[in-house]
mmCIF file of all heavy atoms in Angstrom:
data_model
loop_
_atom_site.group_PDB
_atom_site.id
_atom_site.type_symbol
_atom_site.label_atom_id
_atom_site.label_comp_id
_atom_site.label_asym_id
_atom_site.label_seq_id
_atom_site.Cartn_x
_atom_site.Cartn_y
_atom_site.Cartn_z
ATOM 1 N N ASN A 255 115.617 110.743 106.810
ATOM 2 C CA ASN A 255 115.683 110.930 108.258
ATOM 3 C C ASN A 255 116.497 112.199 108.520
ATOM 4 O O ASN A 255 117.720 112.185 108.407
ATOM 5 C CB ASN A 255 116.356 109.700 108.894
ATOM 6 C CG ASN A 255 116.607 109.876 110.380
ATOM 7 O OD1 ASN A 255 116.083 110.808 110.997
ATOM 8 N ND2 ASN A 255 117.396 108.984 110.959
ATOM 9 N N LYS A 257 117.049 113.614 111.222
ATOM 10 C CA LYS A 257 117.687 113.592 112.554
ATOM 11 C C LYS A 257 117.470 114.933 113.263
ATOM 12 O O LYS A 257 116.437 115.565 113.056
ATOM 13 C CB LYS A 257 119.176 113.247 112.426
ATOM 14 C CG LYS A 257 119.420 112.003 111.582
ATOM 15 C CD LYS A 257 120.780 111.449 111.774
ATOM 16 C CE LYS A 257 121.009 110.333 110.782
ATOM 17 N NZ LYS A 257 122.181 109.554 111.060
ATOM 18 N N HIS A 341 116.113 103.067 115.424
ATOM 19 C CA HIS A 341 117.318 103.581 114.741
ATOM 20 C C HIS A 341 118.534 103.296 115.624
ATOM 21 O O HIS A 341 118.451 103.363 116.851
ATOM 22 C CB HIS A 341 117.183 105.081 114.488
ATOM 23 C CG HIS A 341 118.239 105.604 113.566
ATOM 24 N ND1 HIS A 341 119.500 105.893 114.008
ATOM 25 C CD2 HIS A 341 118.241 105.849 112.234
ATOM 26 C CE1 HIS A 341 120.234 106.302 112.983
ATOM 27 N NE2 HIS A 341 119.482 106.291 111.896
ATOM 28 N N GLU A 343 120.967 104.994 116.402
ATOM 29 C CA GLU A 343 121.321 106.070 117.348
ATOM 30 C C GLU A 343 120.461 105.981 118.601
ATOM 31 O O GLU A 343 120.922 106.286 119.703
ATOM 32 C CB GLU A 343 121.181 107.434 116.635
ATOM 33 C CG GLU A 343 122.336 107.649 115.666
ATOM 34 C CD GLU A 343 122.025 108.539 114.476
ATOM 35 O OE1 GLU A 343 121.024 109.264 114.494
ATOM 36 O OE2 GLU A 343 122.823 108.490 113.512
ATOM 37 N N GLU A 413 120.410 98.754 108.305
ATOM 38 C CA GLU A 413 121.354 99.859 108.420
ATOM 39 C C GLU A 413 122.588 99.405 109.197
ATOM 40 O O GLU A 413 122.586 99.452 110.443
ATOM 41 C CB GLU A 413 120.705 101.039 109.161
ATOM 42 C CG GLU A 413 119.509 101.631 108.463
ATOM 43 C CD GLU A 413 119.362 103.109 108.779
ATOM 44 O OE1 GLU A 413 119.324 103.474 109.969
ATOM 45 O OE2 GLU A 413 119.323 103.898 107.840
ATOM 46 N N ALA A 417 128.134 102.008 108.660
ATOM 47 C CA ALA A 417 127.928 102.743 107.406
ATOM 48 C C ALA A 417 127.127 104.027 107.617
ATOM 49 O O ALA A 417 126.985 104.817 106.686
ATOM 50 C CB ALA A 417 127.206 101.852 106.399
ATOM 51 N N ILE A 418 126.613 104.232 108.841
ATOM 52 C CA ILE A 418 125.731 105.382 109.060
ATOM 53 C C ILE A 418 126.543 106.640 109.342
ATOM 54 O O ILE A 418 127.305 106.696 110.312
ATOM 55 C CB ILE A 418 124.752 105.100 110.221
ATOM 56 C CG1 ILE A 418 123.818 103.951 109.823
ATOM 57 C CG2 ILE A 418 123.941 106.342 110.563
ATOM 58 C CD1 ILE A 418 122.846 103.562 110.896
ATOM 59 N N GLY A 419 126.384 107.600 108.461
ATOM 60 C CA GLY A 419 127.043 108.890 108.642
ATOM 61 C C GLY A 419 128.555 108.833 108.506
ATOM 62 O O GLY A 419 129.250 109.785 108.859
ATOM 63 N N THR A 420 129.064 107.733 107.993
ATOM 64 C CA THR A 420 130.517 107.563 107.920
ATOM 65 C C THR A 420 131.060 107.797 106.514
ATOM 66 O O THR A 420 132.269 107.884 106.318
ATOM 67 C CB THR A 420 130.915 106.120 108.321
ATOM 68 O OG1 THR A 420 130.255 105.203 107.422
ATOM 69 C CG2 THR A 420 130.510 105.816 109.746
ATOM 70 N N GLY A 456 120.029 101.452 104.467
ATOM 71 C CA GLY A 456 120.447 102.759 104.975
ATOM 72 C C GLY A 456 121.887 102.717 105.414
ATOM 73 O O GLY A 456 122.343 101.730 106.023
ATOM 74 N N GLY A 457 122.608 103.783 105.124
ATOM 75 C CA GLY A 457 124.025 103.867 105.505
ATOM 76 C C GLY A 457 124.812 104.495 104.384
ATOM 77 O O GLY A 457 125.209 103.815 103.439
ATOM 78 N N SER A 458 124.960 105.834 104.472
ATOM 79 C CA SER A 458 125.754 106.594 103.498
ATOM 80 C C SER A 458 125.279 106.407 102.055
ATOM 81 O O SER A 458 126.085 106.320 101.139
ATOM 82 C CB SER A 458 127.243 106.240 103.631
ATOM 83 O OG SER A 458 127.718 106.616 104.914
ATOM 84 N N VAL A 459 123.943 106.351 101.893
ATOM 85 C CA VAL A 459 123.411 106.360 100.519
ATOM 86 C C VAL A 459 123.534 107.789 99.986
ATOM 87 O O VAL A 459 123.207 108.759 100.664
ATOM 88 C CB VAL A 459 121.926 105.918 100.474
ATOM 89 C CG1 VAL A 459 121.398 105.994 99.038
ATOM 90 C CG2 VAL A 459 121.769 104.508 101.021
ATOM 91 N N LYS A 460 124.043 107.890 98.772
ATOM 92 C CA LYS A 460 124.232 109.193 98.120
ATOM 93 C C LYS A 460 123.699 109.085 96.696
ATOM 94 O O LYS A 460 123.428 107.981 96.207
ATOM 95 C CB LYS A 460 125.735 109.524 98.047
ATOM 96 C CG LYS A 460 126.466 109.508 99.387
ATOM 97 C CD LYS A 460 126.469 110.889 100.004
ATOM 98 C CE LYS A 460 127.218 110.936 101.321
ATOM 99 N NZ LYS A 460 126.511 110.395 102.464
ATOM 100 N N LEU A 477 116.738 104.278 103.412
ATOM 101 C CA LEU A 477 116.545 105.237 104.505
ATOM 102 C C LEU A 477 117.779 106.133 104.471
ATOM 103 O O LEU A 477 118.915 105.655 104.623
ATOM 104 C CB LEU A 477 116.414 104.499 105.848
ATOM 105 C CG LEU A 477 116.211 105.365 107.095
ATOM 106 C CD1 LEU A 477 115.015 106.307 106.949
ATOM 107 C CD2 LEU A 477 115.991 104.476 108.325
ATOM 108 N N ILE A 478 117.539 107.417 104.272
ATOM 109 C CA ILE A 478 118.618 108.329 103.931
ATOM 110 C C ILE A 478 118.797 109.362 105.031
ATOM 111 O O ILE A 478 117.833 110.058 105.384
ATOM 112 C CB ILE A 478 118.293 109.085 102.599
ATOM 113 C CG1 ILE A 478 117.634 108.158 101.563
ATOM 114 C CG2 ILE A 478 119.524 109.788 102.058
ATOM 115 C CD1 ILE A 478 118.476 106.989 101.119
ATOM 116 N N GLY A 479 119.996 109.489 105.560
ATOM 117 C CA GLY A 479 120.273 110.502 106.584
ATOM 118 C C GLY A 479 120.786 111.779 105.951
ATOM 119 O O GLY A 479 120.032 112.589 105.418
ATOM 120 N N GLY A 480 122.092 111.954 105.970
ATOM 121 C CA GLY A 480 122.714 113.212 105.529
ATOM 122 C C GLY A 480 122.237 113.703 104.169
ATOM 123 O O GLY A 480 121.943 114.901 104.002
ATOM 124 N N ALA A 481 122.129 112.795 103.223
ATOM 125 C CA ALA A 481 121.776 113.214 101.855
ATOM 126 C C ALA A 481 120.318 113.650 101.726
ATOM 127 O O ALA A 481 119.939 114.233 100.713
ATOM 128 C CB ALA A 481 122.078 112.081 100.874
HETATM 129 C C1 LIG B 701 120.447 107.136 108.948
HETATM 130 O O1 LIG B 701 120.590 107.959 109.824
HETATM 131 O O2 LIG B 701 119.485 106.348 109.007
HETATM 132 C C2 LIG B 701 121.404 107.105 107.859
HETATM 133 C C3 LIG B 701 121.358 106.114 107.024
HETATM 134 O O3 LIG B 701 122.324 108.130 107.808
HETATM 135 P P1 LIG B 701 123.364 108.436 106.608
HETATM 136 O O4 LIG B 701 122.577 108.316 105.311
HETATM 137 O O5 LIG B 701 123.825 109.832 106.851
HETATM 138 O O6 LIG B 701 124.435 107.424 106.683
#
Side-chain angles (χ1 to χ4, degrees):
N255 174 12
K257 310 197 187 192
H341 191 279
E343 286 152 16
E413 298 210 306
I418 295 178
T420 59
S458 297
V459 178
K460 304 268 182 283
L477 180 54
I478 320 298

